[in-house]
PDB file of all heavy atoms in Angstrom:
ATOM      1  N   PRO I   1     -62.593-129.049  39.383  1.00 95.00           N
ATOM      2  CA  PRO I   1     -62.110-127.994  40.281  1.00 95.00           C
ATOM      3  C   PRO I   1     -60.725-127.422  39.968  1.00 95.00           C
ATOM      4  O   PRO I   1     -60.402-126.344  40.446  1.00 95.00           O
ATOM      5  CB  PRO I   1     -62.126-128.658  41.649  1.00 95.00           C
ATOM      6  CG  PRO I   1     -62.108-130.124  41.384  1.00 95.00           C
ATOM      7  CD  PRO I   1     -62.798-130.317  40.064  1.00 95.00           C
ATOM      8  N   ARG I   2     -59.908-128.123  39.170  1.00 94.00           N
ATOM      9  CA  ARG I   2     -58.565-127.596  38.859  1.00 94.00           C
ATOM     10  C   ARG I   2     -58.343-127.338  37.376  1.00 94.00           C
ATOM     11  O   ARG I   2     -57.254-126.944  36.975  1.00 94.00           O
ATOM     12  CB  ARG I   2     -57.489-128.547  39.404  1.00 94.00           C
ATOM     13  CG  ARG I   2     -57.440-128.570  40.929  1.00 94.00           C
ATOM     14  CD  ARG I   2     -56.513-129.638  41.481  1.00 94.00           C
ATOM     15  NE  ARG I   2     -56.838-130.992  41.040  1.00 94.00           N
ATOM     16  CZ  ARG I   2     -57.860-131.739  41.486  1.00 94.00           C
ATOM     17  NH1 ARG I   2     -58.677-131.248  42.394  1.00 94.00           N
ATOM     18  NH2 ARG I   2     -58.054-132.955  41.040  1.00 94.00           N
ATOM     19  N   ALA I   3     -59.347-127.531  36.559  1.00 96.00           N
ATOM     20  CA  ALA I   3     -59.176-127.376  35.111  1.00 96.00           C
ATOM     21  C   ALA I   3     -58.666-125.992  34.737  1.00 96.00           C
ATOM     22  O   ALA I   3     -57.828-125.856  33.844  1.00 96.00           O
ATOM     23  CB  ALA I   3     -60.497-127.653  34.394  1.00 96.00           C
ATOM     24  N   HIS I   4     -59.132-124.975  35.415  1.00 97.00           N
ATOM     25  CA  HIS I   4     -58.754-123.602  35.078  1.00 97.00           C
ATOM     26  C   HIS I   4     -57.305-123.274  35.428  1.00 97.00           C
ATOM     27  O   HIS I   4     -56.804-122.209  35.066  1.00 97.00           O
ATOM     28  CB  HIS I   4     -59.702-122.602  35.753  1.00 97.00           C
ATOM     29  CG  HIS I   4     -59.590-122.587  37.241  1.00 97.00           C
ATOM     30  ND1 HIS I   4     -60.088-123.595  38.040  1.00 97.00           N
ATOM     31  CD2 HIS I   4     -59.014-121.692  38.083  1.00 97.00           C
ATOM     32  CE1 HIS I   4     -59.838-123.322  39.298  1.00 97.00           C
ATOM     33  NE2 HIS I   4     -59.190-122.167  39.360  1.00 97.00           N
ATOM     34  N   LEU I   5     -56.631-124.192  36.118  1.00 96.00           N
ATOM     35  CA  LEU I   5     -55.242-123.982  36.542  1.00 96.00           C
ATOM     36  C   LEU I   5     -54.251-124.759  35.685  1.00 96.00           C
ATOM     37  O   LEU I   5     -53.048-124.678  35.925  1.00 96.00           O
ATOM     38  CB  LEU I   5     -55.074-124.429  37.999  1.00 96.00           C
ATOM     39  CG  LEU I   5     -55.995-123.760  39.008  1.00 96.00           C
ATOM     40  CD1 LEU I   5     -55.857-124.426  40.373  1.00 96.00           C
ATOM     41  CD2 LEU I   5     -55.696-122.272  39.084  1.00 96.00           C
ATOM     42  N   ARG I   6     -54.706-125.499  34.684  1.00 96.00           N
ATOM     43  CA  ARG I   6     -53.878-126.444  33.952  1.00 96.00           C
ATOM     44  C   ARG I   6     -53.823-126.128  32.453  1.00 96.00           C
ATOM     45  O   ARG I   6     -54.818-126.272  31.749  1.00 96.00           O
ATOM     46  CB  ARG I   6     -54.417-127.861  34.112  1.00 96.00           C
ATOM     47  CG  ARG I   6     -54.664-128.299  35.555  1.00 96.00           C
ATOM     48  CD  ARG I   6     -53.365-128.475  36.296  1.00 96.00           C
ATOM     49  NE  ARG I   6     -53.520-129.289  37.484  1.00 96.00           N
ATOM     50  CZ  ARG I   6     -53.116-128.918  38.680  1.00 96.00           C
ATOM     51  NH1 ARG I   6     -52.557-127.741  38.857  1.00 96.00           N
ATOM     52  NH2 ARG I   6     -53.254-129.729  39.706  1.00 96.00           N
ATOM     53  N   ALA I   7     -52.651-125.760  31.975  1.00 96.00           N
ATOM     54  CA  ALA I   7     -52.479-125.517  30.534  1.00 96.00           C
ATOM     55  C   ALA I   7     -52.785-126.774  29.733  1.00 96.00           C
ATOM     56  O   ALA I   7     -53.331-126.697  28.632  1.00 96.00           O
ATOM     57  CB  ALA I   7     -51.059-125.026  30.244  1.00 96.00           C
ATOM     58  N   PHE I   8     -52.454-127.952  30.281  1.00 96.00           N
ATOM     59  CA  PHE I   8     -52.673-129.193  29.545  1.00 96.00           C
ATOM     60  C   PHE I   8     -54.155-129.520  29.366  1.00 96.00           C
ATOM     61  O   PHE I   8     -54.513-130.353  28.545  1.00 96.00           O
ATOM     62  CB  PHE I   8     -51.915-130.372  30.169  1.00 96.00           C
ATOM     63  CG  PHE I   8     -52.354-130.756  31.558  1.00 96.00           C
ATOM     64  CD1 PHE I   8     -53.486-131.515  31.784  1.00 96.00           C
ATOM     65  CD2 PHE I   8     -51.581-130.379  32.650  1.00 96.00           C
ATOM     66  CE1 PHE I   8     -53.868-131.876  33.071  1.00 96.00           C
ATOM     67  CE2 PHE I   8     -51.946-130.749  33.936  1.00 96.00           C
ATOM     68  CZ  PHE I   8     -53.093-131.494  34.150  1.00 96.00           C
ATOM     69  N   VAL I   9     -55.021-128.858  30.103  1.00 97.00           N
ATOM     70  CA  VAL I   9     -56.463-128.960  29.891  1.00 97.00           C
ATOM     71  C   VAL I   9     -56.932-127.800  29.017  1.00 97.00           C
ATOM     72  O   VAL I   9     -57.661-127.989  28.041  1.00 97.00           O
ATOM     73  CB  VAL I   9     -57.236-128.958  31.231  1.00 97.00           C
ATOM     74  CG1 VAL I   9     -58.737-128.839  30.993  1.00 97.00           C
ATOM     75  CG2 VAL I   9     -56.919-130.197  32.037  1.00 97.00           C
ATOM     76  N   LEU I  10     -56.523-126.591  29.362  1.00 98.00           N
ATOM     77  CA  LEU I  10     -57.060-125.399  28.715  1.00 98.00           C
ATOM     78  C   LEU I  10     -56.658-125.240  27.249  1.00 98.00           C
ATOM     79  O   LEU I  10     -57.489-124.851  26.422  1.00 98.00           O
ATOM     80  CB  LEU I  10     -56.654-124.153  29.499  1.00 98.00           C
ATOM     81  CG  LEU I  10     -57.240-124.070  30.912  1.00 98.00           C
ATOM     82  CD1 LEU I  10     -56.606-122.915  31.668  1.00 98.00           C
ATOM     83  CD2 LEU I  10     -58.759-123.930  30.862  1.00 98.00           C
ATOM     84  N   LYS I  11     -55.408-125.520  26.909  1.00 97.00           N
ATOM     85  CA  LYS I  11     -54.990-125.333  25.509  1.00 97.00           C
ATOM     86  C   LYS I  11     -55.716-126.285  24.568  1.00 97.00           C
ATOM     87  O   LYS I  11     -56.257-125.846  23.549  1.00 97.00           O
ATOM     88  CB  LYS I  11     -53.478-125.405  25.385  1.00 97.00           C
ATOM     89  CG  LYS I  11     -52.820-124.157  25.969  1.00 97.00           C
ATOM     90  CD  LYS I  11     -51.359-124.046  25.626  1.00 97.00           C
ATOM     91  CE  LYS I  11     -50.812-122.712  26.140  1.00 97.00           C
ATOM     92  NZ  LYS I  11     -49.496-122.417  25.616  1.00 97.00           N
ATOM     93  N   PRO I  12     -55.800-127.582  24.886  1.00 97.00           N
ATOM     94  CA  PRO I  12     -56.590-128.435  24.000  1.00 97.00           C
ATOM     95  C   PRO I  12     -58.089-128.129  24.062  1.00 97.00           C
ATOM     96  O   PRO I  12     -58.785-128.203  23.039  1.00 97.00           O
ATOM     97  CB  PRO I  12     -56.284-129.858  24.465  1.00 97.00           C
ATOM     98  CG  PRO I  12     -55.446-129.768  25.673  1.00 97.00           C
ATOM     99  CD  PRO I  12     -55.027-128.350  25.861  1.00 97.00           C
ATOM    100  N   LEU I  13     -58.594-127.735  25.237  1.00 98.00           N
ATOM    101  CA  LEU I  13     -60.001-127.382  25.357  1.00 98.00           C
ATOM    102  C   LEU I  13     -60.339-126.210  24.435  1.00 98.00           C
ATOM    103  O   LEU I  13     -61.382-126.211  23.775  1.00 98.00           O
ATOM    104  CB  LEU I  13     -60.331-127.044  26.813  1.00 98.00           C
ATOM    105  CG  LEU I  13     -61.795-126.848  27.171  1.00 98.00           C
ATOM    106  CD1 LEU I  13     -62.010-127.152  28.646  1.00 98.00           C
ATOM    107  CD2 LEU I  13     -62.290-125.463  26.856  1.00 98.00           C
ATOM    108  N   ALA I  14     -59.433-125.245  24.355  1.00 98.00           N
ATOM    109  CA  ALA I  14     -59.662-124.074  23.498  1.00 98.00           C
ATOM    110  C   ALA I  14     -59.773-124.466  22.027  1.00 98.00           C
ATOM    111  O   ALA I  14     -60.435-123.769  21.246  1.00 98.00           O
ATOM    112  CB  ALA I  14     -58.545-123.048  23.693  1.00 98.00           C
ATOM    113  N   GLU I  15     -59.155-125.563  21.648  1.00 97.00           N
ATOM    114  CA  GLU I  15     -59.258-126.025  20.251  1.00 97.00           C
ATOM    115  C   GLU I  15     -60.638-126.583  19.935  1.00 97.00           C
ATOM    116  O   GLU I  15     -61.139-126.393  18.832  1.00 97.00           O
ATOM    117  CB  GLU I  15     -58.206-127.103  19.972  1.00 97.00           C
ATOM    118  CG  GLU I  15     -56.792-126.612  19.969  1.00 97.00           C
ATOM    119  CD  GLU I  15     -55.793-127.715  19.692  1.00 97.00           C
ATOM    120  OE1 GLU I  15     -56.147-128.916  19.697  1.00 97.00           O
ATOM    121  OE2 GLU I  15     -54.624-127.374  19.457  1.00 97.00           O
ATOM    122  N   VAL I  16     -61.249-127.304  20.878  1.00 97.00           N
ATOM    123  CA  VAL I  16     -62.537-127.949  20.601  1.00 97.00           C
ATOM    124  C   VAL I  16     -63.732-127.112  21.035  1.00 97.00           C
ATOM    125  O   VAL I  16     -64.845-127.340  20.560  1.00 97.00           O
ATOM    126  CB  VAL I  16     -62.626-129.359  21.234  1.00 97.00           C
ATOM    127  CG1 VAL I  16     -61.573-130.267  20.646  1.00 97.00           C
ATOM    128  CG2 VAL I  16     -62.551-129.321  22.740  1.00 97.00           C
ATOM    129  N   ALA I  17     -63.510-126.160  21.932  1.00 98.00           N
ATOM    130  CA  ALA I  17     -64.611-125.319  22.437  1.00 98.00           C
ATOM    131  C   ALA I  17     -64.097-123.900  22.670  1.00 98.00           C
ATOM    132  O   ALA I  17     -64.023-123.433  23.806  1.00 98.00           O
ATOM    133  CB  ALA I  17     -65.188-125.910  23.718  1.00 98.00           C
ATOM    134  N   PRO I  18     -63.717-123.189  21.591  1.00 97.00           N
ATOM    135  CA  PRO I  18     -63.104-121.869  21.752  1.00 97.00           C
ATOM    136  C   PRO I  18     -64.003-120.836  22.425  1.00 97.00           C
ATOM    137  O   PRO I  18     -63.515-119.863  22.984  1.00 97.00           O
ATOM    138  CB  PRO I  18     -62.743-121.457  20.322  1.00 97.00           C
ATOM    139  CG  PRO I  18     -63.577-122.309  19.445  1.00 97.00           C
ATOM    140  CD  PRO I  18     -63.831-123.579  20.190  1.00 97.00           C
ATOM    141  N   GLY I  19     -65.292-121.067  22.424  1.00 97.00           N
ATOM    142  CA  GLY I  19     -66.208-120.137  23.067  1.00 97.00           C
ATOM    143  C   GLY I  19     -66.584-120.521  24.488  1.00 97.00           C
ATOM    144  O   GLY I  19     -67.426-119.870  25.113  1.00 97.00           O
ATOM    145  N   TRP I  20     -65.939-121.564  25.017  1.00 98.00           N
ATOM    146  CA  TRP I  20     -66.291-122.044  26.352  1.00 98.00           C
ATOM    147  C   TRP I  20     -66.000-120.990  27.410  1.00 98.00           C
ATOM    148  O   TRP I  20     -64.969-120.321  27.376  1.00 98.00           O
ATOM    149  CB  TRP I  20     -65.512-123.328  26.671  1.00 98.00           C
ATOM    150  CG  TRP I  20     -65.879-123.961  27.979  1.00 98.00           C
ATOM    151  CD1 TRP I  20     -67.024-124.641  28.267  1.00 98.00           C
ATOM    152  CD2 TRP I  20     -65.094-124.002  29.174  1.00 98.00           C
ATOM    153  NE1 TRP I  20     -66.991-125.099  29.581  1.00 98.00           N
ATOM    154  CE2 TRP I  20     -65.813-124.715  30.155  1.00 98.00           C
ATOM    155  CE3 TRP I  20     -63.840-123.488  29.515  1.00 98.00           C
ATOM    156  CZ2 TRP I  20     -65.341-124.943  31.434  1.00 98.00           C
ATOM    157  CZ3 TRP I  20     -63.351-123.709  30.796  1.00 98.00           C
ATOM    158  CH2 TRP I  20     -64.103-124.432  31.744  1.00 98.00           C
ATOM    159  N   VAL I  21     -66.932-120.853  28.340  1.00 98.00           N
ATOM    160  CA  VAL I  21     -66.786-119.938  29.480  1.00 98.00           C
ATOM    161  C   VAL I  21     -66.904-120.780  30.749  1.00 98.00           C
ATOM    162  O   VAL I  21     -67.846-121.573  30.901  1.00 98.00           O
ATOM    163  CB  VAL I  21     -67.870-118.839  29.450  1.00 98.00           C
ATOM    164  CG1 VAL I  21     -67.805-117.978  30.696  1.00 98.00           C
ATOM    165  CG2 VAL I  21     -67.736-117.994  28.184  1.00 98.00           C
ATOM    166  N   HIS I  22     -65.942-120.618  31.639  1.00 98.00           N
ATOM    167  CA  HIS I  22     -65.950-121.365  32.896  1.00 98.00           C
ATOM    168  C   HIS I  22     -67.237-121.033  33.648  1.00 98.00           C
ATOM    169  O   HIS I  22     -67.513-119.856  33.918  1.00 98.00           O
ATOM    170  CB  HIS I  22     -64.721-120.993  33.732  1.00 98.00           C
ATOM    171  CG  HIS I  22     -64.483-121.876  34.889  1.00 98.00           C
ATOM    172  ND1 HIS I  22     -65.261-121.831  36.029  1.00 98.00           N
ATOM    173  CD2 HIS I  22     -63.561-122.847  35.096  1.00 98.00           C
ATOM    174  CE1 HIS I  22     -64.820-122.730  36.890  1.00 98.00           C
ATOM    175  NE2 HIS I  22     -63.786-123.362  36.354  1.00 98.00           N
ATOM    176  N   PRO I  23     -68.049-122.036  33.972  1.00 97.00           N
ATOM    177  CA  PRO I  23     -69.361-121.760  34.563  1.00 97.00           C
ATOM    178  C   PRO I  23     -69.339-121.097  35.931  1.00 97.00           C
ATOM    179  O   PRO I  23     -70.320-120.470  36.310  1.00 97.00           O
ATOM    180  CB  PRO I  23     -70.017-123.141  34.668  1.00 97.00           C
ATOM    181  CG  PRO I  23     -69.179-124.068  33.894  1.00 97.00           C
ATOM    182  CD  PRO I  23     -67.841-123.450  33.701  1.00 97.00           C
ATOM    183  N   VAL I  24     -68.252-121.206  36.671  1.00 97.00           N
ATOM    184  CA  VAL I  24     -68.163-120.582  37.995  1.00 97.00           C
ATOM    185  C   VAL I  24     -67.429-119.254  37.907  1.00 97.00           C
ATOM    186  O   VAL I  24     -67.892-118.230  38.402  1.00 97.00           O
ATOM    187  CB  VAL I  24     -67.468-121.519  39.007  1.00 97.00           C
ATOM    188  CG1 VAL I  24     -67.218-120.802  40.330  1.00 97.00           C
ATOM    189  CG2 VAL I  24     -68.289-122.776  39.222  1.00 97.00           C
ATOM    190  N   LEU I  25     -66.268-119.275  37.268  1.00 98.00           N
ATOM    191  CA  LEU I  25     -65.443-118.067  37.185  1.00 98.00           C
ATOM    192  C   LEU I  25     -65.973-117.050  36.182  1.00 98.00           C
ATOM    193  O   LEU I  25     -65.566-115.889  36.215  1.00 98.00           O
ATOM    194  CB  LEU I  25     -64.004-118.446  36.815  1.00 98.00           C
ATOM    195  CG  LEU I  25     -63.310-119.433  37.760  1.00 98.00           C
ATOM    196  CD1 LEU I  25     -61.947-119.816  37.207  1.00 98.00           C
ATOM    197  CD2 LEU I  25     -63.198-118.841  39.155  1.00 98.00           C
ATOM    198  N   LYS I  26     -66.832-117.506  35.268  1.00 98.00           N
ATOM    199  CA  LYS I  26     -67.395-116.652  34.200  1.00 98.00           C
ATOM    200  C   LYS I  26     -66.294-116.082  33.310  1.00 98.00           C
ATOM    201  O   LYS I  26     -66.447-115.025  32.713  1.00 98.00           O
ATOM    202  CB  LYS I  26     -68.256-115.510  34.762  1.00 98.00           C
ATOM    203  CG  LYS I  26     -69.360-115.971  35.686  1.00 98.00           C
ATOM    204  CD  LYS I  26     -70.347-116.877  34.996  1.00 98.00           C
ATOM    205  CE  LYS I  26     -71.502-117.229  35.919  1.00 98.00           C
ATOM    206  NZ  LYS I  26     -72.113-118.489  35.609  1.00 98.00           N
ATOM    207  N   ALA I  27     -65.166-116.792  33.208  1.00 98.00           N
ATOM    208  CA  ALA I  27     -64.030-116.359  32.395  1.00 98.00           C
ATOM    209  C   ALA I  27     -63.992-117.190  31.123  1.00 98.00           C
ATOM    210  O   ALA I  27     -64.143-118.418  31.171  1.00 98.00           O
ATOM    211  CB  ALA I  27     -62.724-116.531  33.166  1.00 98.00           C
ATOM    212  N   PRO I  28     -63.779-116.551  29.970  1.00 98.00           N
ATOM    213  CA  PRO I  28     -63.649-117.307  28.723  1.00 98.00           C
ATOM    214  C   PRO I  28     -62.346-118.100  28.709  1.00 98.00           C
ATOM    215  O   PRO I  28     -61.360-117.726  29.356  1.00 98.00           O
ATOM    216  CB  PRO I  28     -63.660-116.234  27.639  1.00 98.00           C
ATOM    217  CG  PRO I  28     -63.293-114.966  28.319  1.00 98.00           C
ATOM    218  CD  PRO I  28     -63.685-115.111  29.761  1.00 98.00           C
ATOM    219  N   VAL I  29     -62.352-119.205  27.958  1.00 98.00           N
ATOM    220  CA  VAL I  29     -61.186-120.074  27.924  1.00 98.00           C
ATOM    221  C   VAL I  29     -59.935-119.316  27.475  1.00 98.00           C
ATOM    222  O   VAL I  29     -58.845-119.573  27.990  1.00 98.00           O
ATOM    223  CB  VAL I  29     -61.447-121.338  27.076  1.00 98.00           C
ATOM    224  CG1 VAL I  29     -61.579-121.020  25.606  1.00 98.00           C
ATOM    225  CG2 VAL I  29     -60.355-122.371  27.314  1.00 98.00           C
ATOM    226  N   ALA I  30     -60.054-118.357  26.562  1.00 97.00           N
ATOM    227  CA  ALA I  30     -58.874-117.605  26.111  1.00 97.00           C
ATOM    228  C   ALA I  30     -58.211-116.858  27.271  1.00 97.00           C
ATOM    229  O   ALA I  30     -56.981-116.811  27.370  1.00 97.00           O
ATOM    230  CB  ALA I  30     -59.258-116.628  24.998  1.00 97.00           C
ATOM    231  N   ALA I  31     -59.005-116.296  28.168  1.00 98.00           N
ATOM    232  CA  ALA I  31     -58.447-115.583  29.326  1.00 98.00           C
ATOM    233  C   ALA I  31     -57.795-116.568  30.290  1.00 98.00           C
ATOM    234  O   ALA I  31     -56.748-116.279  30.870  1.00 98.00           O
ATOM    235  CB  ALA I  31     -59.538-114.786  30.034  1.00 98.00           C
ATOM    236  N   LEU I  32     -58.405-117.734  30.451  1.00 98.00           N
ATOM    237  CA  LEU I  32     -57.824-118.742  31.338  1.00 98.00           C
ATOM    238  C   LEU I  32     -56.501-119.268  30.776  1.00 98.00           C
ATOM    239  O   LEU I  32     -55.553-119.488  31.527  1.00 98.00           O
ATOM    240  CB  LEU I  32     -58.815-119.886  31.548  1.00 98.00           C
ATOM    241  CG  LEU I  32     -60.121-119.496  32.255  1.00 98.00           C
ATOM    242  CD1 LEU I  32     -61.113-120.655  32.222  1.00 98.00           C
ATOM    243  CD2 LEU I  32     -59.848-119.060  33.686  1.00 98.00           C
ATOM    244  N   VAL I  33     -56.429-119.463  29.462  1.00 97.00           N
ATOM    245  CA  VAL I  33     -55.183-119.901  28.818  1.00 97.00           C
ATOM    246  C   VAL I  33     -54.079-118.876  29.076  1.00 97.00           C
ATOM    247  O   VAL I  33     -52.939-119.236  29.389  1.00 97.00           O
ATOM    248  CB  VAL I  33     -55.380-120.141  27.306  1.00 97.00           C
ATOM    249  CG1 VAL I  33     -54.044-120.262  26.588  1.00 97.00           C
ATOM    250  CG2 VAL I  33     -56.216-121.392  27.066  1.00 97.00           C
ATOM    251  N   ALA I  34     -54.399-117.604  28.972  1.00 97.00           N
ATOM    252  CA  ALA I  34     -53.399-116.550  29.197  1.00 97.00           C
ATOM    253  C   ALA I  34     -52.822-116.618  30.615  1.00 97.00           C
ATOM    254  O   ALA I  34     -51.649-116.295  30.822  1.00 97.00           O
ATOM    255  CB  ALA I  34     -54.008-115.172  28.938  1.00 97.00           C
ATOM    256  N   ASP I  35     -53.625-117.084  31.564  1.00 96.00           N
ATOM    257  CA  ASP I  35     -53.167-117.177  32.958  1.00 96.00           C
ATOM    258  C   ASP I  35     -52.195-118.334  33.205  1.00 96.00           C
ATOM    259  O   ASP I  35     -51.561-118.381  34.253  1.00 96.00           O
ATOM    260  CB  ASP I  35     -54.359-117.336  33.902  1.00 96.00           C
ATOM    261  CG  ASP I  35     -55.189-116.069  34.021  1.00 96.00           C
ATOM    262  OD1 ASP I  35     -54.687-114.984  33.654  1.00 96.00           O
ATOM    263  OD2 ASP I  35     -56.341-116.178  34.476  1.00 96.00           O
ATOM    264  N   VAL I  36     -52.085-119.282  32.257  1.00 96.00           N
ATOM    265  CA  VAL I  36     -51.225-120.460  32.464  1.00 96.00           C
ATOM    266  C   VAL I  36     -50.113-120.549  31.417  1.00 96.00           C
ATOM    267  O   VAL I  36     -49.518-121.605  31.225  1.00 96.00           O
ATOM    268  CB  VAL I  36     -52.058-121.770  32.479  1.00 96.00           C
ATOM    269  CG1 VAL I  36     -53.004-121.786  33.672  1.00 96.00           C
ATOM    270  CG2 VAL I  36     -52.805-121.972  31.173  1.00 96.00           C
ATOM    271  N   GLU I  37     -49.811-119.441  30.775  1.00 93.00           N
ATOM    272  CA  GLU I  37     -48.801-119.435  29.713  1.00 93.00           C
ATOM    273  C   GLU I  37     -47.416-119.866  30.187  1.00 93.00           C
ATOM    274  O   GLU I  37     -46.594-120.285  29.384  1.00 93.00           O
ATOM    275  CB  GLU I  37     -48.721-118.055  29.047  1.00 93.00           C
ATOM    276  CG  GLU I  37     -49.861-117.766  28.101  1.00 93.00           C
ATOM    277  CD  GLU I  37     -49.915-118.702  26.886  1.00 93.00           C
ATOM    278  OE1 GLU I  37     -48.874-119.224  26.452  1.00 93.00           O
ATOM    279  OE2 GLU I  37     -51.025-118.916  26.373  1.00 93.00           O
ATOM    280  N   ASP I  38     -47.143-119.780  31.479  1.00 92.00           N
ATOM    281  CA  ASP I  38     -45.820-120.148  31.985  1.00 92.00           C
ATOM    282  C   ASP I  38     -45.652-121.655  32.180  1.00 92.00           C
ATOM    283  O   ASP I  38     -44.549-122.117  32.464  1.00 92.00           O
ATOM    284  CB  ASP I  38     -45.555-119.430  33.305  1.00 92.00           C
ATOM    285  CG  ASP I  38     -46.562-119.791  34.395  1.00 92.00           C
ATOM    286  OD1 ASP I  38     -47.715-120.148  34.062  1.00 92.00           O
ATOM    287  OD2 ASP I  38     -46.193-119.716  35.581  1.00 92.00           O
ATOM    288  N   GLN I  39     -46.704-122.447  31.993  1.00 92.00           N
ATOM    289  CA  GLN I  39     -46.602-123.895  32.177  1.00 92.00           C
ATOM    290  C   GLN I  39     -46.000-124.556  30.935  1.00 92.00           C
ATOM    291  O   GLN I  39     -46.320-124.191  29.813  1.00 92.00           O
ATOM    292  CB  GLN I  39     -47.971-124.491  32.489  1.00 92.00           C
ATOM    293  CG  GLN I  39     -48.499-124.050  33.835  1.00 92.00           C
ATOM    294  CD  GLN I  39     -49.873-124.615  34.133  1.00 92.00           C
ATOM    295  OE1 GLN I  39     -50.326-125.582  33.534  1.00 92.00           O
ATOM    296  NE2 GLN I  39     -50.560-123.985  35.091  1.00 92.00           N
ATOM    297  N   ALA I  40     -45.127-125.543  31.163  1.00 88.00           N
ATOM    298  CA  ALA I  40     -44.427-126.229  30.070  1.00 88.00           C
ATOM    299  C   ALA I  40     -45.380-127.160  29.330  1.00 88.00           C
ATOM    300  O   ALA I  40     -45.869-128.147  29.884  1.00 88.00           O
ATOM    301  CB  ALA I  40     -43.254-127.018  30.628  1.00 88.00           C
TER     302      ALA I  40
END
């Protein structure tokens, strides 16, 4: 439920599954990563 809000999940996820699309939000991982760019 919170994976799409966490850079520490999304950035590594994008490395192993670059084509992954969030099954509920229907957003590709690249778009989700862009939403969390401000996280350290």
Side-chain angles (χ1 to χ4, degrees):
R2 292 172 303 285
H4 67 286
L5 303 172
R6 309 290 199 232
F8 64 79
V9 171
L10 295 171
K11 288 192 175 192
L13 189 154
E15 291 180 349
V16 298
W20 184 73
V21 174
H22 192 286
V24 173
L25 303 175
K26 306 298 185 207
V29 69
L32 296 171
V33 166
D35 289 343
V36 295
E37 284 296 332
D38 61 333
Q39 293 179 18

